[in-house]
Amino acid sequence: MTTVTLAKSQDVAFARQAAMKAMGEIGASAVKRTKFVTAVSEIARNAVNYGRGGRITFEIVGLGANRRVIAQCSDRGPGIEDVDLALSDGYSTGKSLGLGLGGAKRLVDRFDITSSSSTGTIVTLECGQR
């Protein structure tokens, strides 16, 4: 398991590198690597810029052709009031959120999110080899 602390903007680059390395270790296709790294980048950037920092962990699970990477990002922010709205294509906070949560969700095989004012936001991304 690899953990990257997300406290400043350059930590997003470290999260991207860790995602790329993990996807390379499972033998993911170039397309899958790019999609996963892009999703991780968006989630990590949101944690740094809007979630008061946090951390992201990467774990490789499964065997053979069923190997996959699970990334879990947790932040210390105030939570997201309306998760369904934040996942929609038309969501805007008036700030530049880049691809955002909805875009990240479309790039991975599995996407889970929990968010509350007491625990912050936890996003889990999962992606396989193909």
Side-chain angles (χ1 to χ4, degrees):
M1 185 178 300
T2 300
T3 301
V4 176
T5 300
L6 301 169
K8 45 196 177 290
S9 58
Q10 63 251 39
D11 294 335
V12 175
F14 298 133
R16 287 178 62 86
Q17 290 170 345
M20 183 64 78
K21 181 179 179 192
M23 291 298 282
E25 287 180 24
I26 68 165
S29 69
V31 170
K32 288 295 263 196
R33 281 194 310 263
T34 300
K35 287 181 176 184
F36 188 71
V37 169
T38 301
V40 163
S41 180
E42 289 298 320
I43 298 306
R45 183 176 296 110
N46 285 344
V48 170
N49 292 340
Y50 309 107
R52 300 182 193 143
R55 68 185 181 132
I56 187 166
T57 59
F58 298 90
E59 182 178 10
I60 296 172
V61 298
L63 298 171
N66 293 321
R67 292 181 81 195
R68 56 200 183 281
V69 177
I70 298 173
Q72 187 171 72
C73 183
S74 57
D75 70 32
R76 296 184 288 267
I80 300 169
E81 279 188 38
D82 189 340
V83 172
D84 291 334
L85 178 61
L87 291 171
S88 71
D89 289 333
Y91 181 68
S92 174
T93 64
K95 300 176 183 176
S96 174
L97 287 174
L99 185 67
L101 294 173
K105 180 180 180 179
R106 287 188 299 276
L107 293 173
V108 296
D109 298 332
R110 184 174 68 92
F111 178 99
D112 294 313
I113 184 170
T114 59
S115 189
S116 76
S117 59
S118 61
T119 61
T121 301
I122 299 170
V123 178
T124 303
L125 308 170
E126 185 174 332
C127 202
Q129 297 168 312
R130 293 173 183 63

